[in-house]
Amino acid sequence: MGTVKKLINGIESVVPDTLRGLAAAHPGLRVDEENRIVYRAAGPRPGKVGLVSGGGAGHEPLHTGFVGYGMLDAACPGEVFTSPVPYQMIEATTAVHGGAGVLHIVKNYTGDVLNFQMTAELSAEENIEVAAVLVDDDVAVHNSIYTAGRRGTGATVFVEKIAGAMAETGAPLHEVVRVAEEVNARSRSFGIGLSSCTTPSVGKPTFDLGDTEIELGIGIHGEPGRTRSTMRPARDLAWIAMDALHEDLPLSGDTLVMVNGMGGTPLIELYIVFAEVVDYLAEKGARAARSLVGNYTTSLDMQGFSITTCRLDDQLTRLWDFPVETPALRWGR
Amino acid sequence: MGTVKKLINGIESVVPDTLRGLAAAHPGLRVDEENRIVYRAAGPRPGKVGLVSGGGAGHEPLHTGFVGYGMLDAACPGEVFTSPVPYQMIEATTAVHGGAGVLHIVKNYTGDVLNFQMTAELSAEENIEVAAVLVDDDVAVHNSIYTAGRRGTGATVFVEKIAGAMAETGAPLHEVVRVAEEVNARSRSFGIGLSSCTTPSVGKPTFDLGDTEIELGIGIHGEPGRTRSTMRPARDLAWIAMDALHEDLPLSGDTLVMVNGMGGTPLIELYIVFAEVVDYLAEKGARAARSLVGNYTTSLDMQGFSITTCRLDDQLTRLWDFPVETPALRWGR
Amino acid sequence: MNTACFAAWIEEIARTVHAEKDRLTRLDAAIGDADHGANLDRGFTAVSRVLAAKQPETTGAMLTMVGSTLIRNVGGASGPLYGMAFRQMGRVLGDTPDVSIAQLCTALEAGLAGIQKLGAATEGDKTLVDALAPAIQALAQSVQDGVKPEEAISAAAAAALAGAEATIPMLAHKGRASYLGPRSVGHEDPGAASTALIFAALHAVTTR
Amino acid sequence: MNTACFAAWIEEIARTVHAEKDRLTRLDAAIGDADHGANLDRGFTAVSRVLAAKQPETTGAMLTMVGSTLIRNVGGASGPLYGMAFRQMGRVLGDTPDVSIAQLCTALEAGLAGIQKLGAATEGDKTLVDALAPAIQALAQSVQDGVKPEEAISAAAAAALAGAEATIPMLAHKGRASYLGPRSVGHEDPGAASTALIFAALHAVTTR
Ligand SMILES: Nc1ncnc2c1ncn2[C@@H]1O[C@H](COP(=O)(O)OP(=O)(O)O)[C@@H](O)[C@H]1O
Ligand SMILES: Nc1ncnc2c1ncn2[C@@H]1O[C@H](COP(=O)(O)OP(=O)(O)O)[C@@H](O)[C@H]1O
Ligand SMILES: [Mg+2]
Ligand SMILES: [Mg+2]
Ligand SMILES: [Mg+2]
Ligand SMILES: [Mg+2]
């Protein structure tokens, strides 16, 4: 490494070192460093559906920061931007199984889908009932059966929170699956990048942007977006994103909104974007009944933001408000 | 503006727009946009000491994100990196006065000190008992009566949390002052910058750093540090910072530790630094009994981190664990 | 081809993947997430380690080990896809002591089928299938034409390389590159490039 | 100097601070936090606005208004310091209708004392005191020498400028620049530079 301006000890040790830090910082977590699995310290609760998610590292706090009461039972980080592997996830699945089956929360990427699929096949051999929900909320990607489909991005946080609450209430697997699918169906995301990001192994930005250039429709892996555009005031950027969401699934009524930073954007700017989102919603007769403003689904040190909306109903609002106690989301306890 | 890659609508509207977003995102806050004051929505509690802090914007979540039960009663943001003005703070001081006096938590910068001092003089005229605690934890600055003294940085979070808890228990002003001063006396900070930051009004980084250059001993205003150095593995950087803290006030026993991101550094890297801090403490016979890892005292989009330690005793630990409900810190409720 | 020959092939893949790691990652940076080189290097380094510890006794077991090790260590899209391909090849070869080009071709066809079953990509989708399918076709043609093994493998390696290059003008329909839509055009697919490396490695060891 | 003359001075300060905003901020970026130009521009823009709405009737009231408006709108170190200085000057001038150079000098001395009481800086600490103190000394000397008002003010402006430039080699002991220790050497103090602007503005309006 030497010259890469990242707080790391080496490319190979990024994930293990992160797990060491996570374990030391959060007594509510138990970390299996060998297998790279983050569990609730309390262990599985008999009769509760287990929730497991996983994906490449580099999106922190997703997923490891969402392990705890009212959310995930285990998270499996892969290498940076690389989905985890089946042996890891079968281990996690077996460990959190409390007799009521396990839900896998999978972001829609070929790698994640294939590795979770193999895990599910192996789980079936062990007689664990496993269901999977696929998160695919990113409207920047046109949905088609001829492509890999939409990416899973910010809505993952909503699915993990709401399905986690549902599982905590003791609901059976098919109910947890239903609510997870419903959250996904009601959620949409759109992201705008002001810079690329630097993966530890590459050591320089994945793509270059000029001083006034931005990328519209970015994902969460430092990849360029659908189109390149020019920098504009926060209001215009927020409206571009909101228009994309509204066009895909009209916004109305109580809405759960996340203004998410990509990792390198300061909180002050995210609040400015959120103020514009609130204006936009008001214009459409909707309102931000619940919200998150901060870094929740990041792309290493990328500068920019994404907006995720979810149309709420009474049940979803209640499940959103349900107590949660994880490193990154905590209320009611 | 035009070309500045910041999510803002204009230089003048940065602070008002942030306050609009903050108000919309947090129903637990009441925001006086006209006077630029953030209050608890619940208002002052009779008989409770009021806690007011303030300082330049650009350090979010400090201070606005720490308003709420168990912490501040009001926060007054100034312009970016500019301390607030007395009229704002006298308004806040009067509004949160519940009859038991008001504590001002002041970071040690000439501007903050002078403006708070004028506020205190005006408060005396209104017969409000005001005390002030000066936070000056940054060991990068040599303390001397011939200089402006040490800067106030990360320990502000500890002071606001612990004094806030003390006030919540109904303690009288002199007790709240005492514990606030004690936290400050037991706390030390040291920061390392991997990049400068870009203020909205300047539109380009405050200083330039080469590809492998870093700044040791930075503050929280995008200023260069005490010395320029070269990039090293996370472990070495963490040890440089910890050595500086340990040299100034030997570490031992239960320690409250914050590994703080400067705004542009991803969480994954902060956990890596925290893992090294834990090793360092173990070597000195100390341990991170309580910790925060994340962005708490930022410098806009600066990349880098700071470490703040506070030697705990039983009372401080209890007050740290006391319930808190603010946008940026929340537990126990 | 006996087990020693397969072992040499695998070692040569590990060597060239390591040498070409940065190029593969650069290709992935342009239209993916900049990890393909790191992914495969991690996978084949693990394979080398396993091979050094204990060489499997049959050709089938050897390829199955390669596939399982890749699945265990790579992750991402390429881990399961290449992993499945090697496992399918291993299943087909079983304990065949000396694998002919025709048998290799049959095994590769099973590998390709495994990849397509998992990933649903067809030729023209701008994936590793665009290098693998023509390489197998070239090999099949050579078998039919009865040419010498070295020539058959040389033709397959050339076809894989041409197939990888032919992905440049393609619009991606599968994998991460598909998210870019029209912006995926003009870049070589990293998986197709690594498939070309795998055939080049086979060619290198058979002409030693 | 009557109220009209003071109003012209203040307007000229506002104009030059606005024109030199970026330079002041650049100086502050080197050894501070890059806001001095923005701070003073915000302050004097507010002062202009107040002045345009209703011109105070006495010279003292006018300078007091300037001081209070700066305190109300600037923040930072320079807000209270300059604010206090103008308020002290206003207090000294009271309702003096026509201010002589000697009276201006006395008022400025009170302003400097106010700044030093608040900020505890002495000459050589690399602050605005290093421009203000020599400017006042030059003015006092001129009064003693009995030179013409224009010449006295010209001498004060020159001294302020020289004082500001003389901060370049200094090691800062006060304000943010002190955090830099030896790295503060080699840069002009932004507050000293803005004090030089204030005297240059006075010179400009008196020689019109
Ligand atoms: N559905 C698919 N079918 C076949 N190959 C695919 C498919 N999806 C992706 N690939 C191949 O995988 C390669 C990317 O691998 P890699 O970068 O290691 O994984 P990831 O895309 O998960 O980061 C692509 O270049 C492509 O050749
Ligand atoms: N203690 C002090 N006494 C006199 N002048 C000071 C003192 N501290 C700072 N200053 C002046 O204030 C200037 C900085 O003002 P400004 O940048 O507006 O405020 P801040 O330092 O709070 O950002 C410095 O250049 C210096 O001239
Ligand atoms: Mg990947
Ligand atoms: Mg300032
Ligand atoms: Mg990839
Ligand atoms: Mg300044």
Side-chain angles (χ1 to χ4, degrees):
Chain A
M1 49 163 298
T3 69
V4 191
K5 275 201 189 167
K6 302 216 148 262
L7 302 169
I8 61 176
N9 292 312
I11 295 162
E12 251 80 82
S13 69
V14 167
V15 176
D17 286 350
T18 305
L19 290 177
R20 273 201 305 138
L22 204 69
H26 303 292
L29 301 180
R30 180 173 71 78
V31 177
D32 174 350
E33 292 180 26
E34 163 90 22
N35 290 308
R36 301 189 175 188
I37 306 172
V38 176
Y39 296 105
R40 300 188 192 183
R45 212 176 76 207
K48 187 184 97 63
V49 169
L51 260 70
V52 175
S53 192
H59 309 302
E60 289 66 24
L62 193 80
H63 302 270
T64 48
F66 297 126
V67 174
Y69 181 86
M71 250 173 127
L72 300 179
D73 292 276
C76 301
E79 285 291 330
V80 170
F81 291 172
T82 304
S83 71
V85 294
Y87 86 88
Q88 212 182 335
M89 297 194 285
I90 181 72
E91 174 76 29
T93 302
T94 311
V96 308
H97 181 49
V102 175
L103 176 66
H104 287 172
I105 298 172
V106 188
K107 301 196 296 304
N108 187 31
Y109 298 98
T110 306
D112 295 64
V113 170
L114 295 181
N115 284 284
F116 268 105
Q117 190 175 311
M118 288 188 166
T119 307
E121 283 160 19
L122 295 166
S123 305
E125 288 171 21
E126 311 237 345
N127 286 317
I128 301 175
E129 196 187 352
V130 166
V133 58
L134 206 64
V135 183
D136 60 345
D137 54 318
D138 184 351
V139 303
V141 175
H142 296 298
N143 215 350
S144 155
I145 52 159
Y146 302 110
T147 68
R150 282 180 168 165
R151 294 177 288 220
T153 61
T156 317
V157 179
F158 295 174
V159 172
E160 292 179 1
K161 170 68 186 78
I162 290 176
M166 192 69 163
E168 214 65 64
T169 66
L173 183 58
H174 70 270
E175 278 291 313
V176 181
V177 169
R178 190 200 52 74
V179 85
E181 282 171 348
E182 192 170 334
V183 172
N184 183 57
R186 289 165 172 263
S187 298
R188 296 292 186 275
S189 294
F190 190 88
I192 296 182
L194 310 191
S195 77
S196 177
C197 72
T198 300
T199 61
S201 63
V202 177
K204 56 186 178 54
T206 301
F207 58 89
D208 289 316
L209 275 180
D211 276 354
T212 64
E213 286 176 331
I214 60 173
E215 287 279 343
L216 303 181
I218 51 152
I220 56 172
H221 296 88
E223 67 273 55
R226 291 293 291 206
T227 48
R228 188 159 287 197
S229 187
T230 48
M231 189 58 193
R232 265 162 265 207
R235 181 178 180 80
D236 298 3
L237 295 181
W239 287 56
I240 287 170
M242 291 302 287
D243 274 342
L245 303 182
H246 183 64
E247 202 172 287
D248 201 84
L249 182 71
L251 291 156
S252 73
D254 278 8
T255 310
L256 168 60
V257 181
M258 176 166 75
V259 170
N260 170 63
M262 301 312 298
T265 289
L267 189 54
I268 187 171
E269 298 182 31
L270 302 178
Y271 278 117
I272 292 175
V273 171
F274 184 68
E276 302 307 331
V277 169
V278 168
D279 285 355
Y280 186 99
L281 288 170
E283 194 158 290
K284 303 294 176 199
R287 74 177 189 111
R290 297 291 185 277
S291 61
L292 290 178
V293 179
N295 293 320
Y296 293 100
T297 310
T298 60
S299 185
L300 293 171
D301 56 354
M302 182 180 252
Q303 294 185 340
F305 69 100
S306 64
I307 304 177
T308 304
T309 51
C310 175
R311 293 175 54 168
L312 290 170
D313 64 14
D314 285 352
Q315 188 194 28
L316 297 183
T317 305
R318 256 195 325 273
L319 291 168
W320 181 259
D321 290 341
F322 190 88
V324 60
E325 184 175 346
T326 70
L329 278 193
R330 183 164 180 179
W331 55 74
R333 290 172 50 115
Chain B
M1 49 163 298
T3 68
V4 190
K5 276 200 188 169
K6 301 214 149 265
L7 302 168
I8 61 176
N9 293 311
I11 295 162
E12 252 79 81
S13 69
V14 167
V15 176
D17 285 350
T18 305
L19 290 176
R20 273 201 305 136
L22 204 68
H26 303 292
L29 301 180
R30 181 172 71 77
V31 178
D32 175 350
E33 291 180 26
E34 164 88 21
N35 290 308
R36 301 189 174 186
I37 306 170
V38 176
Y39 296 105
R40 299 189 193 182
R45 210 177 76 207
K48 186 185 97 64
V49 169
L51 260 69
V52 176
S53 192
H59 309 302
E60 290 67 24
L62 192 78
H63 302 270
T64 49
F66 297 126
V67 174
Y69 182 86
M71 249 173 128
L72 300 178
D73 291 277
C76 301
E79 285 291 330
V80 170
F81 291 171
T82 304
S83 71
V85 293
Y87 87 88
Q88 210 182 337
M89 297 195 284
I90 181 73
E91 174 78 28
T93 302
T94 312
V96 307
H97 182 49
V102 175
L103 176 66
H104 287 171
I105 298 172
V106 188
K107 301 196 294 305
N108 187 33
Y109 298 99
T110 306
D112 295 64
V113 169
L114 296 181
N115 284 284
F116 266 105
Q117 191 173 310
M118 289 187 167
T119 307
E121 284 161 18
L122 295 166
S123 305
E125 289 172 20
E126 312 235 344
N127 287 315
I128 300 175
E129 195 188 353
V130 167
V133 59
L134 206 64
V135 183
D136 61 344
D137 54 318
D138 184 351
V139 303
V141 175
H142 296 298
N143 215 350
S144 155
I145 53 158
Y146 302 109
T147 68
R150 282 181 169 165
R151 294 176 287 219
T153 60
T156 318
V157 179
F158 296 173
V159 172
E160 293 179 0
K161 170 68 187 79
I162 290 176
M166 191 69 162
E168 214 66 63
T169 66
L173 183 58
H174 70 270
E175 277 292 313
V176 180
V177 169
R178 191 200 52 75
V179 83
E181 282 171 350
E182 192 171 334
V183 173
N184 183 58
R186 290 165 171 262
S187 298
R188 296 293 185 276
S189 294
F190 190 88
I192 296 182
L194 310 190
S195 77
S196 178
C197 72
T198 300
T199 62
S201 63
V202 176
K204 57 187 177 54
T206 301
F207 59 87
D208 290 316
L209 275 180
D211 277 354
T212 64
E213 286 176 330
I214 61 173
E215 288 279 344
L216 303 182
I218 51 153
I220 56 172
H221 295 89
E223 67 274 54
R226 293 289 294 204
T227 48
R228 190 159 285 197
S229 188
T230 48
M231 189 58 193
R232 265 161 264 208
R235 180 178 180 81
D236 298 3
L237 296 180
W239 286 56
I240 287 170
M242 291 301 287
D243 274 341
L245 303 182
H246 183 64
E247 203 171 287
D248 201 84
L249 182 72
L251 291 156
S252 73
D254 277 8
T255 309
L256 168 59
V257 181
M258 176 166 75
V259 170
N260 171 63
M262 300 313 297
T265 289
L267 190 54
I268 187 172
E269 297 182 32
L270 301 178
Y271 277 117
I272 292 174
V273 171
F274 184 68
E276 302 307 331
V277 169
V278 168
D279 285 354
Y280 185 99
L281 288 170
E283 194 159 290
K284 303 295 175 196
R287 73 175 190 113
R290 298 291 183 276
S291 61
L292 290 179
V293 179
N295 293 320
Y296 293 99
T297 310
T298 59
S299 187
L300 294 172
D301 56 354
M302 183 181 252
Q303 295 185 339
F305 69 99
S306 64
I307 304 177
T308 304
T309 52
C310 175
R311 292 175 54 167
L312 290 170
D313 64 13
D314 284 353
Q315 187 194 29
L316 297 183
T317 306
R318 256 194 325 273
L319 291 168
W320 180 258
D321 289 342
F322 190 88
V324 60
E325 184 176 347
T326 70
L329 277 193
R330 184 164 179 178
W331 55 75
R333 290 171 51 113
Chain C
M1 288 173 77
N2 56 16
T3 51
C5 187
F6 276 104
W9 179 25
I10 292 160
E11 287 298 355
E12 180 64 10
I13 296 173
R15 201 189 61 72
T16 53
V17 160
H18 186 74
E20 300 282 314
K21 181 180 161 183
D22 289 347
R23 183 172 67 88
L24 294 176
T25 290
R26 237 178 3 254
L27 291 176
D28 200 25
I31 54 171
D33 60 351
D35 64 356
H36 189 56
N39 285 349
L40 285 195
D41 187 39
R42 185 172 60 252
F44 281 101
T45 301
V47 167
S48 283
R49 213 169 33 231
V50 174
L51 206 58
K54 184 168 176 297
Q55 183 154 320
E57 295 193 348
T58 65
T59 53
M62 180 160 318
L63 294 186
T64 302
M65 176 282 286
V66 172
S68 303
T69 306
L70 292 179
I71 291 174
R72 238 187 130 71
N73 291 281
V74 176
S78 58
L81 290 169
Y82 276 129
M84 178 59 78
F86 278 102
R87 281 175 61 98
Q88 292 297 346
M89 289 175 72
R91 197 183 48 78
V92 168
L93 295 183
D95 52 7
T96 316
D98 256 300
V99 177
S100 70
I101 292 294
Q103 284 168 319
L104 179 66
C105 191
T106 309
L108 282 165
E109 276 162 358
L112 174 60
I115 285 174
Q116 293 188 301
K117 182 151 175 273
L118 270 186
T122 56
E123 277 183 80
D125 281 349
K126 195 175 182 115
T127 70
L128 51 83
V129 169
D130 292 307
L132 184 53
I136 295 173
Q137 279 146 27
L139 210 57
Q141 188 64 47
S142 297
V143 169
Q144 210 178 306
D145 297 351
V147 303
K148 279 193 293 197
E150 296 84 58
E151 274 173 38
I153 287 169
S154 168
L161 196 64
E165 278 167 11
T167 62
I168 297 176
M170 289 180 187
L171 179 74
H173 293 297
K174 285 283 182 281
R176 290 177 190 287
S178 69
Y179 305 142
L180 292 181
R183 291 176 85 182
S184 65
V185 170
H187 302 276
E188 184 174 345
D189 177 65
S194 61
T195 293
L197 281 186
I198 289 171
F199 280 92
L202 181 60
H203 182 55
V205 297
T206 49
T207 56
R208 252 179 208 161
Chain D
M1 289 172 78
N2 56 16
T3 51
C5 186
F6 276 103
W9 179 24
I10 292 159
E11 287 298 357
E12 180 64 12
I13 297 173
R15 200 190 60 73
T16 52
V17 160
H18 186 74
E20 300 281 315
K21 180 180 163 185
D22 288 348
R23 183 173 66 88
L24 294 176
T25 290
R26 232 175 12 249
L27 292 175
D28 200 25
I31 54 171
D33 59 351
D35 63 357
H36 189 56
N39 285 349
L40 286 196
D41 187 38
R42 184 171 61 252
F44 280 100
T45 301
V47 167
S48 285
R49 211 167 37 229
V50 174
L51 206 57
K54 183 167 176 299
Q55 184 154 319
E57 295 192 349
T58 65
T59 52
M62 179 159 321
L63 293 187
T64 303
M65 176 282 286
V66 173
S68 303
T69 307
L70 292 179
I71 292 173
R72 238 189 129 70
N73 290 280
V74 175
S78 58
L81 291 169
Y82 276 129
M84 178 59 79
F86 278 102
R87 281 175 61 97
Q88 292 296 346
M89 288 174 74
R91 197 181 49 76
V92 168
L93 295 184
D95 51 11
T96 314
D98 257 301
V99 177
S100 69
I101 291 294
Q103 286 170 318
L104 179 67
C105 192
T106 308
L108 283 165
E109 276 162 357
L112 173 60
I115 285 174
Q116 292 187 300
K117 182 152 177 271
L118 270 186
T122 56
E123 280 183 77
D125 281 351
K126 196 176 182 116
T127 70
L128 50 84
V129 169
D130 291 308
L132 184 54
I136 295 174
Q137 278 147 28
L139 210 56
Q141 188 64 50
S142 299
V143 169
Q144 209 177 305
D145 297 350
V147 303
K148 279 192 294 199
E150 297 84 59
E151 274 173 38
I153 286 170
S154 167
L161 198 64
E165 277 168 11
T167 62
I168 296 176
M170 289 180 187
L171 180 73
H173 293 298
K174 286 282 182 280
R176 288 176 192 288
S178 69
Y179 304 142
L180 291 181
R183 291 175 85 184
S184 64
V185 170
H187 302 276
E188 185 175 346
D189 177 64
S194 60
T195 292
L197 281 186
I198 289 171
F199 279 92
L202 181 60
H203 182 55
V205 296
T206 49
T207 55
R208 251 178 209 162

